[in-house]
C-alpha cells in the first residue's frame, strides 16, 4: 500500500523532458493518484515566461502519462490551498529548486521536495536550440 492517497504537483512542463518524467514517476510511487496542475499560457505571461508549447498540448502530453491521474489548470499563485482542499490531496510535491517555498501548505497536507534530475531543464533545451 502507498503511503499517500492523492498527490498534487505544479509546473509549466514546457518541452517535456526526462527531468519532468522522473519527477512525476517518483511522485506516483508515493501516492495512489497524482494530480498535475499545468500552468496556463496566461499565467506564464504574468510570470514573464513564454512557452514554446501551448497549454492544450502541454496538458495533453501530461494527461497521456500512465503515472498521472488527472490534469488541472494553474491560473494563479493563490489556488494551491483551494485545490488541495477541493481535490482532497494529502501530499504536495515539487522539485527541490522550490525547497521551503511551499511550506505554508503544511497545515493542509504533507509537503515534500524531491531532488531534481541534474543537467536538464526547459531553459537549457531552449538555449541549446538557439545555438
Ligand atoms: N524538475 C525536475 N528536474 C529537472 C527539471 C524540472 O525534477 N531537471 C521539476 C521541477 O522541480 C518542477 C517540475 O519538474 O517540480 C516542473 O518544472 P518546470 O519548471 O516546468 O521545468 P524546468 O525544466 O525546471 O523549466 P525552466 O527551465 O523553465 O525553469
Amino acid at each position: 500500500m502507498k503511503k499517500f492517497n492523492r498527490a498534487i504537483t505544479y509546473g509549466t512542463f514546457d518541452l517535456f523532458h526526462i527531468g519532468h518524467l522522473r519527477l512525476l514517476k517518483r511522485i506516483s510511487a508515493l501516492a495512489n493518484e497524482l494530480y498535475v496542475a499545468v500552468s496556463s499560457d496566461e499565467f506564464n505571461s504574468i510570470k514573464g515566461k513564454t512557452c514554446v508549447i501551448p497549454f492544450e498540448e502541454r496538458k495533453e502530453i501530461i494527461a497521456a502519462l500512465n503515472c498521472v491521474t488527472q490534469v488541472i489548470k494553474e491560473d494563479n499563485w493563490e489556488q494551491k490551498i483551494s485545490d488541495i482542499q477541493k481535490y482532497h490531496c494529502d501530499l504536495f510535491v515539487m522539485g527541490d529548486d522550490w525547497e521551503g517555498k511551499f511550506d505554508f501548505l503544511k497545515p493542509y497536507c504533507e509537503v515534500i521536495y524531491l531532488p531534481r534530475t541534474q543537467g536538464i531543464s526547459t531553459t537549457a533545451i531552449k538555449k541549446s536550440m538557439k545555438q
Side-chain angles (χ1 to χ4, degrees):
M1 230 189 66
K2 292 185 182 175
K3 192 174 173 197
F4 297 94
N5 185 47
R6 185 175 289 160
I8 190 162
T9 192
Y10 291 73
T12 310
F13 302 101
D14 192 19
L15 298 173
F16 191 80
H17 59 67
I18 194 69
H20 295 147
L21 183 63
R22 287 183 184 154
L23 182 86
L24 297 176
K25 278 185 171 174
R26 278 184 289 157
I27 302 171
S28 85
L30 299 173
N32 295 323
E33 294 189 355
L34 170 56
Y35 277 42
V36 181
V38 175
S39 57
S40 67
D41 296 327
E42 297 76 19
F43 183 43
N44 286 328
S45 59
I46 291 167
K47 291 190 285 185
K49 244 185 176 182
T50 311
C51 278
V52 177
I53 310 297
F55 171 78
E56 287 300 338
E57 292 176 17
R58 287 182 285 119
K59 179 184 172 182
E60 196 176 328
I61 290 166
I62 303 288
L65 301 172
N66 290 334
C67 59
V68 172
T69 311
Q70 179 80 39
V71 180
I72 63 167
K73 201 189 223 186
E74 183 187 24
D75 290 306
N76 57 64
W77 291 109
E78 289 78 34
Q79 74 187 66
K80 293 187 180 69
I81 293 173
S82 57
D83 287 345
I84 288 165
Q85 291 176 327
K86 183 165 144 194
Y87 300 114
H88 305 286
C89 300
D90 54 358
L91 176 64
F92 173 93
V93 186
M94 291 295 289
D96 63 2
D97 47 323
W98 294 96
E99 185 77 51
K101 297 267 178 3
F102 297 106
D103 287 357
F104 67 92
L105 298 171
K106 284 183 178 174
Y108 303 93
C109 65
E110 190 94 13
V111 175
I112 295 179
Y113 305 95
L114 292 176
R116 277 169 72 93
T117 300
Q118 294 305 301
I120 180 90
S121 69
T122 300
T123 307
I125 297 171
K126 281 183 185 167
K127 263 190 201 155
S128 71
M129 289 193 314
K130 274 187 193 153
Q131 280 166 6

